[in-house]
Amino acid sequence: MSAAYRRYVDARCLPTPNGEYTPEALREMQAAMLDALRSGPDLPDEMRLHLALAFEYLCAGVAFDLVTPVKAPGGREPPILKHTQEDGIRFLRWCADGRIVDATPSSTVATAYGVSTATVRNWRKAWQGLPTPPLFEDYGAEQVADFMRISGKAYQRFKLRPKAK
């Protein structure tokens, strides 16, 4: 049994008396499912069934507690934005290593992502001490620069915009 599935089963065993799961149990089940999905192609049948049910409910327009946010909204940026930042960080680090020649890499990333250079500095600081995001293949400088530009467009698409009054 995988560690993610073990966590999932342990959390699933904690329903409230009325049969619903506590927010803590749901949070742990959600995290375990995410870990299982990220860890490889094999997903235990029970988790696969719950995910299928969740998406069946969602497609029917019915709420399903397993895919309901259990954390209070606000404050955090969507995870997709962190994923798009990976390509910007890789670009900056390749420039620092001399694998990409760019006299103003922070400005290049800021322009591609539609943010200020101060934001790019904040990203750099947040990623300090973390490894450079890996690539699936042995790509070169041109592909790293292309990925950065593509991710910059995606970042702009998914970036939260202030709501109009």
Side-chain angles (χ1 to χ4, degrees):
M1 182 182 326
S2 73
Y5 184 58
R6 203 168 17 262
R7 285 177 46 213
Y8 176 81
V9 169
D10 289 346
R12 189 179 48 81
C13 293
L14 303 170
T16 59
N18 64 3
E20 295 176 358
Y21 296 107
T22 64
E24 295 78 21
L26 286 171
R27 188 176 302 116
E28 185 62 21
M29 290 168 70
Q30 290 170 351
M33 282 191 172
L34 181 58
D35 288 348
L37 288 168
R38 286 180 175 162
S39 67
D42 296 331
L43 190 65
D45 289 340
E46 186 177 5
M47 292 174 96
R48 185 183 336 288
L49 174 65
H50 272 143
L51 285 172
L53 281 171
F55 281 94
E56 186 176 342
Y57 272 60
L58 291 173
C59 290
V62 179
F64 190 74
D65 60 352
L66 194 57
V67 291
T68 301
V70 292
K71 289 185 174 184
R76 279 195 70 213
E77 59 186 6
I80 187 69
L81 296 181
K82 286 288 183 196
H83 289 293
T84 62
Q85 288 173 18
E86 291 177 352
D87 292 318
I89 294 299
R90 185 182 307 106
F91 178 84
L92 293 168
R93 290 184 179 171
W94 278 45
C95 288
D97 292 348
R99 292 187 269 180
I100 295 176
V101 177
D102 186 327
T104 57
S106 292
S107 293
T108 302
V109 172
T111 300
Y113 283 76
V115 298
S116 68
T117 53
T119 298
V120 173
R121 280 194 303 274
N122 288 336
W123 292 352
R124 208 179 245 178
K125 191 183 299 182
W127 282 82
Q128 192 173 8
L130 296 174
T132 299
L135 290 173
F136 291 113
E137 300 286 332
D138 189 23
Y139 293 120
E142 186 176 321
Q143 289 85 13
V144 169
D146 287 343
F147 290 156
M148 183 273 299
R149 284 189 285 278
I150 291 166
S151 287
K153 288 178 184 172
Y155 182 91
Q156 290 180 48
R157 181 174 156 222
F158 292 109
K159 183 171 48 175
L160 297 176
R161 309 232 186 279
K163 293 189 178 171
K165 293 182 181 184

